[in-house]
Amino acid sequence: MTSQTPFLLTGVTGGLGAKILEDMLNVHKIDPSKIIATSRSDSNRSKYESRGLHFRVADYKDPSTLDSAFKNVKELLFMSSSERDNTTRNREHLNVIEAAKKNGVGRVWYVSLAFGGWTDSSKIGFQQAHYETERLLAQSGLEFVNLRAGIYSDAFPLFLNWYPESERVLFPDVDPPVERGQIAFTTRDELGEGMATLLVKGFGAFPSITPKTEKKIVLLTSQSTDSMVDLVAAIDKARPSKPKLPIEYLSPQDWIATSADGDIGGKGTPWFQARLVFVEGVCKGDAEVIDPALEVLLGRKPETGVQAVERLVREAGGEYRWHQNHINGDWSGLRAGK
Ligand SMILES: NC(=O)c1ccc[n+]([C@@H]2O[C@H](COP(=O)([O-])OP(=O)(O)OC[C@H]3O[C@@H](n4cnc5c(N)ncnc54)[C@H](OP(=O)(O)O)[C@@H]3O)[C@@H](O)[C@H]2O)c1
């Protein structure tokens, strides 16, 4: 009988998965031969095989690749797809779950998102696909864990629609107001660090961390919350030589129209319409729930949103950008906080 490889990691070419892989190798000293790295593109093979890792192609859109990739795998790190259309994303994720089941994967660790805290109450569009994937996992008969990842602090330019050249920040005038919307912003690197530790050491090493609800949720967040207004102040603090960014509040419809008109990243009206639902959701508390699990895994307090924003802007000399050409842009160069 062929022996199982302990870990198969999807998403390793991306920011979160790369951090998980590097920590598994460099911090936890996992032998590279115990890890299968995957990507949709075979062109990434040599990058991983040259380091002694196994490599397999795994494309969630193509079940035949998943069928080959998931053979003899114990722990599968299932990174959520970067596909934005929920119907397509749900189909892709169903392909992953079906292939994991068919090939007898030992346990699936799905990287979900923290909107709604422990519940499925958030109305934010892209969160619905996460809820659906979690539900499918719970029904699948597979061993699984849903790692609900805190909202990336690193992605703050997208949340504020802020660019280094912005002269103001616009928010929609919603109820409850934006300054009341508390978000447990969490850095991508600390999420990766925590996930790597949990994958390698398992729940047995952390008795206080127990997956909760029938969806087996582990909520990974920082230990405090900040509002989007707090983050604007953090940008100002990191750029003392620049004038303070004025914040302007517009009616939701004017906010959509004004933001979409000449957006530097080329994001259009539908993007801002969806973003309004996001803002309304976080103002109602969709991202405010915190949990100590990440602090336990890191062995220290995670960085807060305000601390992270100030650091990121300072480190980039004010030129920090993040995925802002979301809709029209070329994604290839926009990963990893560029
Ligand atoms: N917590 C948050 O606030 C937050 C923010 C943004 C995104 N996310 C979610 O977290 C995930 C990881 O974040 P990240 O920052 O690491 O994203 P990223 O840098 O864009 O990387 C995405 C990774 O997912 C893989 N991937 C995407 N679609 C795939 C598919 N259809 N089949 C197989 N692999 C696929 C990519 O692999 P290849 O390109 O090599 O195939 C890549 O390694 C994202 O996909 C997104 O769902 C979370």
Side-chain angles (χ1 to χ4, degrees):
M1 205 181 114
T2 321
S3 65
Q4 281 190 318
T5 307
F7 302 101
L8 182 140
L9 309 182
T10 62
V12 287
T13 63
L16 182 60
K19 172 65 177 166
I20 294 171
L21 175 61
E22 291 310 319
D23 270 31
M24 287 175 75
L25 294 171
N26 301 325
V27 177
H28 300 289
K29 307 291 178 199
I30 299 293
D31 190 305
S33 69
K34 293 188 164 38
I35 302 175
I36 304 164
T38 68
S39 165
R40 282 169 290 187
S41 171
D42 198 46
S43 65
N44 287 309
R45 178 179 294 279
S46 59
K47 182 172 155 192
Y48 297 103
E49 287 186 345
S50 64
R51 298 178 68 188
L53 294 145
H54 301 281
F55 177 85
R56 295 177 185 170
V57 170
D59 182 345
Y60 304 162
K61 268 198 169 61
D62 180 353
S64 69
T65 64
L66 304 176
D67 204 20
S68 316
F70 293 174
K71 297 242 174 323
N72 303 311
V73 168
K74 201 160 168 227
E75 310 281 352
L76 162 62
L77 179 78
F78 172 13
M79 190 64 69
S80 46
S81 163
S82 30
E83 169 61 51
R84 292 209 176 72
D85 174 70
N86 275 356
T87 308
T88 312
R89 197 185 223 196
N90 284 341
R91 180 68 241 177
E92 291 185 0
H93 286 188
L94 179 63
N95 289 341
V96 174
I97 293 166
E98 284 178 341
K101 205 171 164 183
K102 184 173 164 197
N103 290 285
V105 163
R107 178 163 45 178
V108 178
W109 301 74
Y110 174 59
V111 180
S112 183
L113 197 52
F115 291 107
W118 303 104
T119 74
D120 287 7
S121 60
S122 173
K123 300 284 179 277
I124 292 172
F126 47 84
Q127 184 66 32
Q128 309 314 308
H130 291 292
Y131 291 156
E132 173 65 5
T133 304
E134 293 174 348
R135 190 185 67 76
L136 290 170
L137 277 168
Q139 286 180 349
S140 68
L142 284 157
E143 279 290 314
F144 70 96
V145 182
N146 284 309
L147 300 168
R148 285 198 178 177
I151 316 314
Y152 287 175
S153 307
D154 319 57
F156 75 88
L158 209 50
F159 305 138
L160 306 179
N161 200 33
W162 171 83
Y163 300 84
E165 49 275 59
S166 297
E167 289 176 354
R168 59 183 180 161
V169 173
L170 300 179
F171 286 130
D173 195 1
V174 290
D175 182 25
V178 168
E179 61 269 25
R180 292 256 302 279
Q182 293 295 309
I183 303 174
F185 287 109
T186 311
T187 68
R188 184 167 69 175
D189 271 358
E190 288 189 332
L191 287 166
E193 181 180 337
M195 287 179 192
T197 300
L198 190 55
L199 259 175
V200 169
K201 296 193 173 171
F203 289 101
F206 303 100
S208 68
I209 304 177
T210 27
K212 294 193 177 62
T213 84
E214 72 284 1
K215 285 188 154 187
K216 299 191 183 166
I217 295 166
V218 175
L219 190 60
L220 296 174
T221 66
S222 61
Q223 284 301 283
S224 65
T225 60
D226 295 298
S227 74
M228 291 192 283
V229 173
D230 296 330
L231 300 194
V232 177
I235 298 172
D236 285 336
K237 207 166 162 202
R239 306 189 307 173
S241 61
K242 296 242 184 195
K244 280 197 188 324
L245 281 164
I247 295 176
E248 291 175 31
Y249 292 88
L250 302 177
S251 73
Q253 289 319 312
D254 286 350
W255 175 77
I256 291 169
T258 309
S259 303
D261 182 20
D263 177 55
I264 297 170
K267 303 189 294 297
T269 302
W271 194 91
F272 288 100
Q273 284 167 333
R275 194 51 43 163
L276 178 64
V277 179
F278 167 91
V279 174
E280 287 169 338
V282 297
C283 291
K284 285 184 182 135
D286 280 9
E288 71 183 8
V289 180
I290 58 172
D291 188 78
L294 184 60
E295 179 176 351
V296 170
L297 291 167
L298 300 179
R300 63 175 189 276
K301 280 249 179 294
E303 199 176 27
T304 69
V306 159
Q307 288 167 341
V309 169
E310 200 185 325
R311 175 181 59 76
L312 291 165
V313 174
R314 213 185 282 284
E315 281 173 2
E319 284 300 312
Y320 185 79
R321 289 172 198 273
W322 177 275
H323 289 194
Q324 279 153 317
N325 305 37
H326 236 203
I327 294 293
N328 300 330
D330 170 11
W331 269 82
S332 57
L334 287 172
R335 284 217 179 109
K338 280 179 248 163

